[in-house]
Amino acid sequence: MENPDVPSEAHLKTLLMRGDGEMASRMRSLDWNQLPAGPVSSWPEELRNAVSLCLASRHPIEIWWGPEYLRFYNDAYRPILGATKHPQFIGRPGQEMWAEIWHVVEPLLRSVRETEEAIYQEDLQLFVTRNGYLEEAYFSFSYGPIFRGGEVAGIFSPCTETTAYVLQRRRLSLLRRVAGLSPAASLEKAALDCIHLLSESALDVSFAAIYLCDSESEPCTLISQTGLDGPSYLPNEINPERALAGRYFDVLRSRNAVVMGDLPLSLGALNGGAWHEQLHTAILLPLRGAADSSIVGVLLAGLSSRLPYNEEYRVFFDLLAEHISTVLSRTSALLEERRQAELFSSMFNNAPAFIAVLHGAEHVFQFANPPYMQLVGNRDLLGKSVADALPEVREQGFVDLLNGVFRTGLPYRGDSIKIDLRRAEGESLESRFVTFVYQPTKDKNGQVDGIFVLGMDVSATVAAQEALRRSEKLSAAGRLAATIAHEVNNPLEAMTNLLFLAQEGVSSESAIYLTMAEEELSRIAHITKQTLAFYRESSDPVRFDLSDTVESIAVFYRKQAQRAHVELHAHLEGGSTILAVEGEIKQVLSNLIANSLDALAGRSGSISIRTRTRGGQVRLAVSDTGSGIPDNVLNRIWEPFFTTKAAVGTGLGLWVTRDLVEKHHGTLRVRTRTTGPWRGTLFLINFRRAPDASEV
């Protein structure tokens, strides 16, 4: 007699296996007395709870129970079993269901039972037989222990199949690498580069071969292949009399891929791929040209025998063929550009002018002759845009000029235009002067498709003209100064003699004033004679110590500075040897000191002169604590005859000073402030140091 307090088998099934899902229905209908797990009423509470939780979940879950790892799973897990592993293995030992992967799965299960610790596997590769063939699949899952009486009685496993994700990630990686290939030196080399990448992807492309042809009416020639084991071979050519001809013409007619499911019949026994086994299925895909839909070749690719040929697999091969076509097209375009460049080269390479041919709105270099290459420092130009190949010209307006010519179709001419170029790696910009024309070129439809650049480097001519101009200016200034000095010198000598005679028989107070007048006239006479000497002396440079020259000039200005209540300091370093015309350097010093004294007129202050030698450079600094130079005047101080001293100044001092410094390949800079505690002006001059006599 049955105990009314003990639930019946049917009632237990209803309680534990609730729901209308397939697995709940199947498990309720099973005769568990005939299965290793036994009747539901005999199941331990831990198994009942695990099965109930499993069936209620919408996430794929499997249960491995007992030492035989009896199998329980839910509806969400059902698709993982494919067409051949369900429903016959419900409640059966795990090895019966997964015999082909038991050597992988059983050690994982055993480790959980022995260590009583959970494990996790991500994207584990398993080869399963669930659809009538050995299939590559990937799974992420955890194995967690189910305890009963302090021991591991079963294993609870949430499981997700990640095959689609892994395949997508793997195939996208291959596509990215193919797309990233650079144009090659030939179409054959481009095909070899593609095949090399395909050889690293045997799991998706079991073998591959690229055939190329000159036109669709010409036979296709095998360029390269990968993935086949010897003695397997592919035909060296596709023509009407050879294998693959029928399928090739199908591709030509449809312009689409053709699947070949009869490889042994079409090409004989082919072995290879990732598992070195006989191959049965391949796909023949068109490789298209760049300008139109013409076919320049075909890709023959083997399908993996362990993956289903589905929509995702087909799209992958279509994209692969497109990417290979793009690599071939880019290579063809570059080869055509080089062919055209060679045609231009034969005509232009010996021209004395610089010549370049630019293509497209980005102004890509197709050709540049030796004079042009020399102008830009022999950089790698072909195939690059002007902005990329010569980045320093972008901010100088030359790319804008090219854009204007390309947009309007009107030529542009530039005469003696300055351009700053980096003519060697790591060097600073060098200024050159060019006369050039940008002439637009047009295609057969009359549309601008490029620009022809023709010009001459006129830097030497501009430099010669500038030297002549500077020489003429200095000569004119020298003649003017000499004339003035000559006219002033004679009366100065007469006045000096008269002062000497006047000192006889005068009072002591008058004698003091006469002495002061004589000293002032001596200073003016020195400046006058110095000016005459500057004009008359030899223009040949000599080696001398700049500090000694500074000291000799400072002596003549100290008394004037003292009377003006100005302190004149000289801080001079030895070894400041330069190679220059000493009279011209004295003129520079006199001009700067005189300017500083004028800046301090009517106020006390100081003038400082410093020399310093550092790193092959001799620096001369002349500074004062005067009124400074206003901003509206600063930009004009170098102009000839510009002065702020009204009738007192000639406006030639700084103009002559800058020209003399530049003549000696020096640099001249000015810093000034008109307000604040640091008010005043500083002139900085740098000369190249010359080795002194002991070093020579």
Side-chain angles (χ1 to χ4, degrees):
M1 183 175 180
E2 293 184 358
N3 186 347
D5 295 328
V6 177
S8 66
E9 180 78 4
H11 183 60
L12 279 174
K13 288 182 179 181
T14 302
L15 288 176
L16 297 180
M17 305 166 186
R18 296 179 180 180
D20 299 327
E22 177 192 355
M23 289 304 300
S25 298
R26 284 188 178 278
M27 292 179 71
R28 286 195 301 268
S29 65
L30 284 176
D31 183 1
W32 288 98
N33 291 309
Q34 305 301 317
L35 294 173
V40 176
S41 58
S42 68
W43 291 3
E45 189 68 22
E46 292 80 4
L47 177 58
R48 294 180 184 180
N49 292 337
V51 169
S52 178
L53 180 63
C54 171
L55 293 176
S57 175
R58 295 189 178 185
H59 185 84
I61 293 176
E62 58 180 341
I63 296 172
W64 310 79
W65 186 260
E68 293 184 286
Y69 304 110
L70 304 180
R71 303 287 292 133
F72 302 88
Y73 51 89
N74 61 5
D75 288 339
Y77 184 87
R78 163 68 187 87
I80 291 175
L81 301 176
T84 62
K85 291 189 179 294
H86 173 80
Q88 68 271 27
F89 294 113
I90 300 174
R92 302 295 305 171
Q95 187 173 5
E96 294 181 11
M97 174 183 279
W98 293 119
E100 68 274 21
I101 59 171
W102 197 244
H103 64 288
V104 177
V105 174
E106 192 276 334
L108 298 176
L109 295 167
R110 180 163 24 94
S111 71
V112 176
R113 292 179 65 90
E114 292 175 352
T115 66
E116 299 183 351
E117 293 182 359
I119 63 170
Y120 177 74
Q121 294 286 323
E122 184 173 10
D123 297 332
L124 179 65
Q125 183 188 52
L126 296 172
F127 291 92
V128 298
T129 305
R130 58 183 178 180
N131 290 304
Y133 64 94
L134 194 60
E135 181 180 349
E136 180 186 6
Y138 294 86
F139 302 91
S140 292
F141 57 89
S142 67
Y143 284 168
I146 302 174
F147 290 99
R148 180 170 183 262
E151 295 182 352
V152 177
I155 293 171
F156 191 83
S157 175
C159 176
T160 300
E161 181 170 1
T162 59
T163 304
Y165 170 73
V166 172
L167 295 182
Q168 182 186 54
R169 182 178 59 194
R170 188 170 76 195
R171 292 165 180 173
L172 284 176
S173 175
L174 173 61
L175 293 174
R176 280 195 297 267
R177 285 181 288 150
V178 173
L181 286 174
S182 301
S186 66
L187 286 176
E188 290 75 13
K189 179 61 169 61
L192 286 169
D193 291 343
C194 294
I195 287 294
H196 174 72
L197 291 180
L198 298 186
S199 69
E200 300 172 352
S201 301
L203 291 177
D204 290 307
V205 185
S206 57
F207 77 93
I210 292 179
Y211 290 81
L212 297 180
C213 57
D214 294 330
S215 68
E216 294 184 12
S217 60
E218 298 291 328
C220 269
T221 302
L222 176 64
I223 302 301
S224 182
Q225 63 173 309
T226 185
L228 293 178
D229 301 334
S232 301
Y233 73 95
L234 295 172
N236 293 326
E237 187 177 82
I238 302 176
N239 60 43
E241 289 77 31
R242 301 294 298 270
L244 290 178
R247 302 302 176 85
Y248 174 63
F249 289 123
D250 289 342
V251 171
L252 291 182
R253 281 191 298 269
S254 67
R255 326 302 281 184
N256 292 317
V258 172
V259 177
M260 302 171 57
D262 55 352
L263 276 184
L265 294 177
S266 300
L267 296 173
L270 296 178
N271 293 283
W275 301 284
H276 305 284
E277 58 192 11
Q278 185 171 2
L279 305 170
H280 296 277
T281 308
I283 186 169
L284 195 64
L285 300 115
L287 301 176
R288 294 181 171 85
D292 49 36
S293 60
S294 62
I295 293 178
V296 298
V298 290
L299 168 66
L300 178 63
L303 274 62
S304 171
S305 61
R306 300 189 182 183
L307 289 173
Y309 181 66
N310 51 24
E311 180 66 11
E312 290 77 15
Y313 210 177
R314 184 194 65 77
V315 169
F316 161 69
F317 276 115
D318 285 343
L319 291 174
L320 181 60
E322 287 183 16
H323 284 36
I324 294 175
S325 296
T326 300
V327 173
L328 296 174
S329 297
R330 288 203 303 261
T331 299
S332 294
L334 180 59
L335 293 175
E336 178 61 21
E337 289 175 3
R338 289 178 177 173
R339 186 187 69 81
Q340 293 183 12
E342 289 173 0
L343 293 177
F344 287 123
S345 176
S346 63
M347 185 186 306
F348 298 145
N349 269 339
N350 296 321
F354 64 73
I355 296 172
V357 178
L358 310 177
H359 179 72
E362 297 298 319
H363 318 303
V364 175
F365 281 100
Q366 286 187 315
F367 172 81
N369 72 343
Y372 192 99
M373 296 296 293
Q374 183 179 5
L375 177 67
V376 301
N378 294 306
R379 280 180 267 186
D380 182 19
L381 302 180
L382 296 187
K384 298 180 179 178
S385 69
V386 170
D388 290 337
L390 307 173
E392 67 269 30
V393 308
R394 186 184 310 164
E395 301 301 326
Q396 300 177 52
F398 290 94
V399 174
D400 292 336
L401 290 176
L402 290 169
N403 290 338
V405 172
F406 193 89
R407 184 178 63 255
T408 64
L410 299 176
Y412 175 84
R413 176 182 175 84
D415 291 313
S416 299
I417 303 298
K418 180 183 177 183
I419 181 172
D420 294 325
L421 293 167
R422 182 166 285 106
R423 307 187 73 195
E425 186 70 26
E427 291 191 3
S428 58
L429 295 177
E430 178 182 342
S431 295
R432 308 295 294 177
F433 291 86
V434 291
T435 293
F436 62 93
V437 62
Y438 288 158
Q439 180 67 44
T441 61
K442 299 182 179 181
D443 59 21
K444 61 183 179 180
N445 298 319
Q447 300 296 314
V448 176
D449 64 355
I451 295 175
F452 180 79
V453 180
L454 173 66
M456 294 288 291
D457 184 348
V458 296
S459 301
T461 302
V462 171
Q465 291 172 346
E466 177 63 20
L468 179 60
R469 182 187 65 82
R470 183 181 294 114
S471 176
E472 290 174 346
K473 287 196 302 182
L474 287 173
S475 178
R479 287 193 297 269
L480 176 62
T483 300
I484 296 171
H486 178 74
E487 294 300 324
V488 173
N489 189 52
N490 291 336
L492 278 176
E493 289 181 358
M495 292 176 66
T496 302
N497 293 333
L498 289 172
L499 285 172
F500 176 76
L501 294 174
Q503 290 178 11
E504 296 293 333
V506 299
S507 66
S508 59
E509 183 177 357
S510 297
I512 292 174
Y513 291 119
L514 289 173
T515 301
M516 292 174 61
E518 184 180 18
E519 290 176 351
E520 187 64 21
L521 284 173
S522 296
R523 187 185 68 82
I524 297 173
H526 169 75
I527 296 173
T528 304
K529 290 176 181 178
Q530 185 186 55
T531 303
L532 282 168
F534 158 66
Y535 181 64
R536 291 171 181 165
E537 72 177 3
S538 170
S539 61
D540 293 333
V542 295
R543 186 179 287 106
F544 62 91
D545 193 313
L546 180 61
S547 294
D548 294 341
T549 302
V550 171
E551 182 60 36
S552 68
I553 295 297
V555 167
F556 293 102
Y557 283 95
R558 280 200 171 94
K559 288 188 178 180
Q560 182 184 357
Q562 288 173 359
R563 284 193 292 274
H565 305 291
V566 173
E567 297 178 6
L568 179 59
H569 305 287
H571 308 278
L572 309 175
E573 287 188 4
S576 53
T577 306
I578 64 173
L579 184 65
V581 179
E582 188 173 11
E584 295 178 354
I585 301 304
K586 289 180 178 179
Q587 185 68 42
V588 168
L589 285 164
S590 295
N591 290 345
L592 293 178
I593 295 172
N595 275 356
S596 292
L597 285 170
D598 291 338
L600 287 162
R603 63 164 64 93
S604 61
S606 64
I607 299 173
S608 177
I609 309 172
R610 296 177 181 271
T611 60
R612 189 178 71 175
T613 303
R614 295 290 187 276
Q617 296 285 317
V618 176
R619 169 172 288 187
L620 170 64
V622 180
S623 62
D624 63 65
T625 58
S627 57
I629 304 173
D631 290 341
N632 62 334
V633 173
L634 188 59
N635 292 332
R636 301 191 61 194
I637 62 174
W638 312 112
E639 296 179 12
F641 305 109
F642 175 78
T643 180
T644 60
K645 304 172 189 175
V648 178
T650 64
L652 294 174
L654 288 179
W655 171 62
V656 171
T657 296
R658 185 176 69 169
D659 274 4
L660 289 175
V661 171
E662 291 180 352
K663 175 184 175 182
H664 289 85
H665 306 290
T667 61
L668 173 60
R669 292 183 296 164
V670 59
R671 299 176 184 170
T672 185
R673 288 187 179 180
T674 58
T675 59
W678 302 104
R679 183 178 63 181
T681 301
L682 167 66
F683 286 92
L684 290 172
I685 302 176
N686 281 317
F687 295 109
R688 282 182 290 199
R689 179 180 179 274
D692 56 30
S694 62
E695 292 175 305
V696 174

